Each structure stands twice: as structure tokens, then as C-alpha cells.
Amino acid sequence: METILIVGGGITGLSVVYTLEKEAAKQKRDLKLLLVDSAAQLGGKIRTVKENGFIMETGADSIVARKMKDSGLIEELELEEEAVYNAVGTSFLFREGELKQIPRDSVFGIPTSIQSLAESPLLSDHGKVEALKDFYINDRKFTEHDSIGEFLEYYLGKELVEKQIAPVLSGVYSGTLHNLTIASTLPYVLQYKEKYGSIMKGFATNKNQFLGKDDKKFLSFNNGLSTIIDAMANRLEKTEIWLEHEVEQINKTDGKGYKVYFTNGKVVEADSIVLSIPHNHASRLFSDKELHEEFSKIKTSSLISVYVGYSVSDGVLPENGTGYIAPDNDLFCNACTWTSRKWEHTSKGGNLLIRLFYKSSHPRFSEIKDLNDEDLLKIAKADIEKSLHINAEPVVSTVTKWTDQMPTYQITHPDTVSSLEEQFAHKYPGIFLAGCSYYGVGIPDCIENGKEIAKKISEKVLLK
């Protein structure tokens, strides 16, 4: 019987074993499945904290609804009744000491109409006129491996990109737009430009995919995102799970398999291995200089998340708002989500819950990155007072640090991943890389990546 070891119990690793169990049952074959994680609980970057009537997420706080729609996983896990969706609201940029509204009729800051462009409070008249060239210029061919920043700036103008689009996109994808590829951000813009002759026309025609009538763009669960982790784990019937087990080294055996050594002294032999852990952790498991060099080309950034909850109503917030982005250096934070306004389930009593994001891309991040939780809370309170004029004392707070764990898909990323895949196929057949370090940061992307890896293993093991 084949032994499959999955290292990493986040959403990708769970997707791998969940799919493998289904495939094995379908083929009426037995597999020995072992899922290990160095943490004390499953979930990876997905973990829900409940305190003082608030629900807080230490990592991801939602799932892109349209990406989950066709997977059928929510229905399969019988979570339809648990699903909750984001409230409709206005997003702002904090600039020049005040909140300025991002046009509602825009996608990632890209206008979907001339009216949306004309009414933007973020652009000068010159910037608005410059953006109109999108409607009549189509003289340069780009590929999906080109820079998304260069593409958008060429057709929409520098001011629109810098003042309205970049702050929004950079909030979703870590890194500067000129270092990110079209493929890793908005791959459909190439099709829009080719098919409609205009990026804005393309988004206007397809905006229901992004700005649907009910505007339910993101989903979570009534008891937090850990619900999907627990539901998948509870469906596992054939998988052995080891928590607080950290892999130290992987060596080839005399046969076709591998010996896996743990820091606690345990040793496991496996025929196939899935490394669903950050790339810098995976790299340390091999004494292979070429692999180390290739792994080192993958770039990451850091993120500090600070939740602050108050015993006051979230009615103190600007009407119909759900958060802001802070592209300038007026604040230490990069962005602020008004969580209790955007997600009603996170504060059953309607009290104010705010989440601030501090990214290593901020020019002043070096000043705060080594601060303890108490001092980081002071920074957060100062940002809140400056931006929202709230100086009440918090009743709850949660600080989470993700140091060098946020993938940044730069221009060279696809080539690096391809090279790693080739090296593993040649030197370490049966070992698969998985997860957000390589194939996509969103939860649906990670789930699909897990399914794809599981199917590759199934073809190799179950169908041979």
C-alpha cells in the first residue's frame, strides 16, 4: 500500500488529503495518508479567534465568492446555512488627512464608466483626460508575463494608476505593480483590451462578475473561517493526522521512496510527499544547493495584523463605509477594515471592531516590525484616532505577525516555479510543491491547487 505524506495542514494540504480520500474511494483502492503540521491545530493562515463577543481572523478573513461558486465545495460540506456574505459599503483612501471615497463604479480602482472616471475625487482633470486614451489606443502587444503596472499605465495613464488603482491592487497583491505580472493579478485585462478595445469597456461589460447586483463578492461563515477547516477535517476518515510534528529533513531511500525525519526523533517512510508549507521552510528540508538557489528567488513580504474592538456602536463610523486604504505615509498602517460594519457576524452586539494591516511595503515598517504586541496596539490606536477620530479604550485586541510569509509574485515568479517543478521531477520524483508560495494566494486558488496535486498523485498511484 502506497504511503502519501502531506506536510502542512493549511487549506491546501487539507484539500489534497480530502481529494485523495475521495479518489481512493472511487477507485476502491487503499492509501496510507498521513497529514502532519508543526502547529497545534490545523488551518495554517486560517484561524478564528473568539473573544468578548467578537470574531477575529488571524489570517485570511474571507473567500472570493465567485471563485467558490463552481467548485461545489460549500454544498459538499453542507455549509450553505453557515455561509455569510460581506455587507455592501463604500471604500475610501486616506489622503491629506481625510477619507476620500473610491468610486463605487470601479473594479480594483479601475473605472467601469466615463462617469465613474469623471466623478473621481482622487484624480486631477489632466489625469482623467489622460485615462481616456484607453478608448482609442491599442498599439502595443503585451503578454501575461508582462508587468501589470506597465500595462495599466500605458493605456490608463500614470496618475490613474498611481493615485487610484495601485493603492487598491497593492492592497490585494503584495508588492509594487511594476514587479507583478498580469497573469498573477488581472489576467483577463489582456482579453478585455483585445476584445473590447478598452480595459474600461471590458470591466463595464463584465462588471456583474465583480460588482453583482447583490454585491456579495466575499463570503465567510457564521462562526468564522475556521468553519471550513473543521468541516474538511471532520470529513477525513482514512487520514492519520499528526499535530506539533515538524519535519527536519527528507532523504531518498535505497528504493523509490523517501525517509522523512522529524525534530522529535520520529522517522517516516513515504512513497509520495506533498510539501504544502512556505517555500523557505521547504527549502531547509533538502541538502541540495541548486534547489536552495532556486527557492531563494521566490520573494516574500511581511504583514502585521491588529484587531481592535470597542464597547461602542460601529455607528460612529462614516455612513455606509467598510474601510480605507492609506497609500501615503500619514499613518503607519497600509489599510483598515471596519470589520463589524463589513461582517455583521463578527460582532453580534453591533459593537465596533476594526482591523488594521501593517505591511513591509510601508516606508516606516522598519520602525514597528520588532515592537511587542503592547506597543503595536499603541500604534494602532494612534492610527485609529488620526483617521477615524476615535479615542475610546479598546475592550479586546489581537495582534498577529506573518514575518516573511506573504508571497510576492514578481515578474520572474512563473519561471522560478517552472524551474523548481522540473528539478523536483528530475531529482525527487514523487515530491510535489503546493500552496500559496507557488500557485495563488486566495483560498479558492489553494483549494484548487490541492485538488490538482491530488489528481496528479492519483494518476501516478491509483491508476497505474
Side-chain angles (χ1 to χ4, degrees), residues 179-459:
N179 290 330
L180 298 173
T181 64
I182 295 172
S184 66
T185 52
L186 309 177
Y188 33 81
V189 293
L190 288 174
Q191 178 191 351
Y192 289 174
K193 188 64 180 174
E194 181 179 344
K195 184 174 181 179
Y196 304 103
S198 160
I199 301 166
M200 286 189 271
K201 277 186 180 178
F203 276 106
T205 305
N206 296 277
K207 71 177 181 179
N208 282 343
Q209 295 180 29
F210 307 95
L211 305 173
K213 291 181 180 179
D214 58 4
D215 214 11
K216 294 180 178 179
K217 294 186 288 185
F218 302 97
L219 71 88
S220 183
F221 301 97
N222 195 46
N223 286 299
L225 270 188
S226 286
T227 299
I228 195 169
I229 298 296
D230 296 339
M232 293 180 78
N234 290 338
R235 292 295 182 100
L236 300 178
E237 298 178 347
K238 305 290 186 180
T239 301
E240 190 174 351
I241 298 174
W242 293 357
L243 298 176
E244 298 182 286
H245 279 68
E246 183 176 357
V247 176
E248 185 174 41
Q249 189 175 349
I250 297 175
N251 292 335
K252 286 182 177 179
T253 63
D254 294 335
K256 293 182 179 180
Y258 299 92
K259 264 190 178 176
V260 181
Y261 299 84
F262 291 81
T263 55
N264 61 8
K266 284 188 179 180
V267 181
V268 169
E269 291 196 15
D271 299 288
S272 298
I273 301 172
V274 178
L275 297 178
S276 179
I277 52 178
H279 74 282
N280 44 8
H281 294 184
S283 177
R284 294 197 289 265
L285 305 181
F286 302 91
S287 54
D288 187 313
K289 186 177 179 181
E290 287 186 356
L291 270 187
H292 292 169
E293 289 178 356
E294 210 60 45
F295 272 120
S296 70
K297 295 177 184 178
I298 295 178
K299 303 303 177 185
T300 57
S301 60
S302 299
L303 170 70
I304 298 172
S305 163
V306 182
Y307 271 104
V308 186
Y310 299 90
S311 60
V312 298
S313 168
D314 67 11
V316 300
L317 295 170
E319 186 179 356
N320 202 33
T322 55
Y324 65 76
I325 298 166
D328 299 328
N329 300 336
D330 295 344
L331 307 174
F332 276 98
C333 71
N334 295 73
C336 174
T337 296
W338 306 338
T339 304
S340 54
R341 178 72 64 77
K342 186 174 181 180
W343 297 101
E344 187 177 343
H345 73 285
T346 63
S347 177
K348 303 295 186 184
N351 285 332
L352 176 62
L353 180 63
I354 292 173
R355 188 181 192 183
L356 300 101
F357 299 88
Y358 297 85
K359 299 183 179 182
S360 54
S361 58
H362 196 290
R364 301 181 67 186
F365 185 78
S366 60
E367 299 177 40
I368 68 170
K369 66 183 180 69
D370 296 320
L371 295 180
N372 59 32
D373 290 2
E374 183 179 351
D375 288 335
L376 285 167
L377 178 58
K378 290 178 182 177
I379 294 290
K381 287 166 61 179
D383 280 350
I384 290 170
E385 184 169 1
K386 189 172 184 179
S387 60
L388 299 174
H389 311 295
I390 296 170
N391 56 13
E393 196 60 29
V395 296
V396 67
S397 64
T398 296
V399 177
T400 309
K401 292 184 177 181
W402 297 105
T403 304
D404 295 326
Q405 293 192 55
M406 309 304 293
T408 302
Y409 294 162
Q410 300 196 338
I411 296 292
T412 57
H413 184 80
D415 293 335
T416 300
V417 173
S418 294
S419 177
L420 282 168
E421 290 173 336
E422 290 173 8
Q423 287 198 47
F424 271 96
H426 177 66
K427 298 178 181 179
Y428 303 97
I431 296 183
F432 301 88
L433 299 175
C436 64
S437 282
Y438 319 98
Y439 302 110
V441 297
I443 292 174
D445 297 319
C446 291
I447 292 171
E448 287 305 311
N449 179 220
K451 288 181 181 178
E452 291 169 7
I453 297 297
K455 287 174 182 176
K456 287 181 181 178
I457 295 173
S458 297
E459 291 169 2

